[in-house]
């Protein structure tokens, strides 16, 4: 079944006769158009892609199942008012449309009712098809390769920003269109900040170095974290690393269809709690990845949604000790029929650099 057919099936279930897509990832997912600046208007007999002069040719080439409409000098909202005169129950992305745009949508569909259905497309996106999995595999491979390359160049005295830049260069050279988020390169005490983006701090001997980065390949994201040690580790460094690794392996082992996000989270979290570091693991175990770097379902304490084959999630526990440092290890896994396949291949045994 095509994505458009799946979409319409979902619209039937939600009892709506039209849906407006403004989130670029959702538009790309349904239409194939990667230009970003488009509004989709989908009914049971129409699939329209509203864009402007700059993107007409690209949209025609990328979105063959959609009728491409040049909104010209009109806004997408006034065009929607024209094409959507019959619509009675119109779904939209309540988690994306701004307050101002919501007012314009209301004016455009003055005759009908607007329903916030933010999960409609993201629900479809959560299970990846083979072509999507293939692109994610490529994005993961590019990041794995960057880690292996950059590992050879890391030395004390280098700034975190230089390391971040080297990761990006490596991935761009390998075909990535860019990084999938602002990279985290956090060394020494900064490694206790789960989201410490690369700074001008120089890495030194006796420090952990956490690198959390990823590539975008043909629209699809990867996400990997590796923590290495520079210099001579103390027992505590090894112990914290081994604890995080044990939690990560247990988390991966727990990923399977039928499990909820919170069940999987609990398994990895249990390992860290058992070791006495529960208070130092303050974030969720993982999230889904696809056209966006953070998608649902998640793996965390609250996630009730159930994993299904074809979902792609990260498993990324960490321990962060204030004024000391932290460790996080993250892989991407594909949920399969009877468990999961780890897509990330970069080494994750305790790596000690000179
Ligand atoms: Mn992540």
């Amino acid at each position: 079944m095509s994505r458009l057919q799946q979409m319409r099936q979902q619209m039937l279930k939600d009892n709506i006769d039209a849906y407006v897509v403004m989130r670029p990832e959702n538009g790309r997912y349904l239409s194939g158009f990667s230009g970003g600046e488009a509004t989709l208007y989908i009914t049971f007999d129409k699939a329209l892609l509203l864009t402007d002069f700059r993107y007409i040719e690209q949209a025609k080439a990328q979105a063959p199942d959609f009728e491409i409409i040049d909104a010209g000098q009109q806004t997408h909202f006034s065009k929607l008012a024209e094409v959507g005169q019959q619509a009675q129950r119109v779904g939209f992305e309540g988690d994306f449309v701004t307050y101002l745009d919501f007012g314009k949508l209301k004016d455009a569909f003055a005759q009908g009712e607007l329903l916030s259905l933010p999960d409609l497309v993201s629900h479809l996106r959560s299970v990846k098809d083979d072509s999507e999995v293939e692109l994610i595999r490529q994005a993961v491979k590019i990041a794995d390769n960057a880690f292996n390359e950059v590992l050879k160049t890391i030395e004390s005295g280098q700034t975190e920003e230089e390391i971040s830049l080297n990761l990006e260069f490596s991935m761009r050279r390998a075909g990535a269109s860019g990084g999938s988020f602002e990279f985290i390169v956090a060394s020494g005490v900064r490694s206790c900040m789960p989201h410490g983006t690369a700074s001008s701090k120089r890495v030194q001997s006796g420090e952990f170095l956490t690198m959390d980065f990823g590539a975008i390949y043909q629209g699809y994201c990867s996400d990997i974290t590796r923590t290495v040690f520079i210099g001579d580790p103390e027992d505590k460094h090894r112990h914290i690393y081994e604890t995080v690794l044990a939690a990560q392996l247990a988390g991966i082992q727990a990923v399977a269809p039928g499990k909820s996000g919170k069940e999987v989270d609990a398994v990895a979290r249990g390992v860290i709690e058992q070791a006495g570091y529960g208070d130092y693991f303050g974030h969720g175990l993982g999230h889904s990845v696809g056209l966006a770097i953070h998608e649902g379902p998640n793996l965390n304490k609250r996630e009730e949604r159930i994993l299904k084959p074809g979902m792609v999630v990260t498993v990324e526990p960490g321990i962060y000790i204030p004024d000391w440092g932290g460790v996080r290890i993250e892989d991407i896994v594909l949920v399969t029929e009877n468990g999961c396949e780890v897509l990330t291949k970069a080494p994750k045994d305790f790596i000690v650099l000179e």
Side-chain angles (χ1 to χ4, degrees):
M1 210 184 342
S2 76
R3 291 178 190 172
L4 201 50
Q5 283 170 320
Q6 289 179 47
M7 175 73 187
R8 285 179 172 139
Q9 215 172 50
Q10 200 58 45
M11 287 166 57
L12 208 57
K13 279 188 204 155
D14 287 321
N15 190 28
I16 53 173
D17 51 13
Y19 193 86
V20 177
V21 177
M22 304 185 97
R23 187 187 280 281
E25 304 96 270
N26 286 347
R28 180 169 185 163
Y29 179 78
L30 292 168
S31 73
F33 175 64
S34 66
E37 295 199 32
T39 302
L40 305 186
Y41 179 68
I42 298 168
T43 68
F44 289 98
D45 54 11
K46 276 188 279 205
L48 310 182
L49 189 155
L50 280 51
T51 187
D52 64 72
F53 179 77
R54 295 169 298 167
Y55 296 105
I56 297 299
E57 292 311 314
Q58 182 183 348
K60 280 182 183 162
Q62 292 183 322
D65 296 339
F66 280 70
E67 185 185 333
I68 310 304
I69 298 191
D70 183 353
Q73 298 306 308
Q74 278 180 285
T75 68
H76 290 192
F77 298 100
S78 60
K79 202 72 195 173
L80 283 172
E82 271 176 39
V83 298
Q85 283 172 2
Q86 310 300 323
Q88 289 308 310
R89 289 171 56 81
V90 183
F92 73 102
E93 298 149 322
D95 61 337
F96 182 76
V97 171
T98 64
Y99 181 73
L100 282 181
D101 285 351
F102 176 66
K104 294 175 193 166
L105 271 183
K106 256 167 78 170
D107 291 343
F109 295 100
Q111 80 292 346
E113 189 187 345
L114 283 177
L115 295 111
S116 169
L117 295 168
D119 297 334
L120 200 148
V121 186
S122 60
H123 175 73
L124 300 178
R125 275 172 48 200
S126 65
V127 173
K128 276 72 182 173
D129 63 30
D130 292 349
S131 67
E132 294 183 285
V133 170
E134 193 46 46
L135 295 176
I136 293 170
R137 279 183 200 278
Q138 289 301 321
V140 168
K141 201 172 169 182
I142 288 169
D144 281 349
N145 177 59
F147 175 71
N148 289 325
E149 271 190 25
V150 168
L151 202 53
K152 293 176 208 151
T153 68
I154 293 171
E155 49 188 27
S156 53
Q158 243 175 355
T159 66
E160 293 169 354
E161 282 156 346
E162 281 177 81
I163 295 168
S164 175
L165 194 58
N166 287 338
L167 288 166
E168 182 159 354
F169 266 124
S170 167
M171 295 197 293
R172 295 288 295 270
R173 256 196 307 270
S177 60
S180 51
F181 55 94
E182 191 181 348
F183 300 163
I184 292 159
V185 178
S187 60
V189 170
R190 293 189 80 251
S191 63
C192 78
M193 297 192 287
H195 277 191
T197 51
S199 76
S200 57
K201 179 189 172 300
R202 293 180 188 280
V203 304
Q204 293 170 42
S205 183
E207 291 184 339
F208 273 129
L209 169 63
T210 298
M211 292 163 282
D212 184 352
F213 60 98
I216 300 177
Y217 181 73
Q218 294 186 22
Y220 283 80
C221 298
S222 62
D223 194 0
I224 173 177
T225 307
R226 288 292 182 265
T227 303
V228 300
F229 195 85
I230 298 160
D232 288 325
E234 293 164 12
D235 287 348
K236 184 171 177 180
H237 293 117
R238 283 188 190 280
H239 177 62
I240 297 289
Y241 191 92
E242 295 305 333
T243 303
V244 173
L245 183 57
Q248 207 251 357
L249 294 172
I252 290 170
Q253 198 75 44
V255 171
K259 296 267 193 73
S260 69
K262 68 181 195 185
E263 280 178 85
V264 178
D265 178 275
V267 171
R269 194 169 301 280
V271 173
I272 291 177
E273 283 168 354
Q274 282 276 304
Y277 295 102
D279 290 344
Y280 302 104
F281 175 26
H283 59 74
L285 181 65
H287 53 90
S288 291
V289 178
L291 285 167
I293 184 67
H294 292 126
E295 303 185 351
N298 296 302
L299 306 178
N300 65 32
K301 284 180 179 174
R302 300 170 305 282
E303 183 61 88
E304 309 272 358
R305 285 177 285 184
I306 303 295
L307 296 177
K308 293 180 197 164
M311 287 181 170
V312 175
V313 295
T314 69
V315 179
E316 47 176 313
I319 294 177
Y320 313 92
I321 301 176
D323 300 322
W324 186 75
V327 172
R328 179 169 62 259
I329 304 169
E330 172 181 34
D331 287 340
I332 287 187
V333 307
L334 167 67
V335 183
T336 60
E337 291 298 329
N338 37 31
C340 74
E341 179 192 343
V342 182
L343 303 185
T344 309
K345 305 284 186 237
K348 57 184 174 185
D349 42 311
F350 189 49
I351 295 174
V352 176
L353 303 174
E354 295 267 302

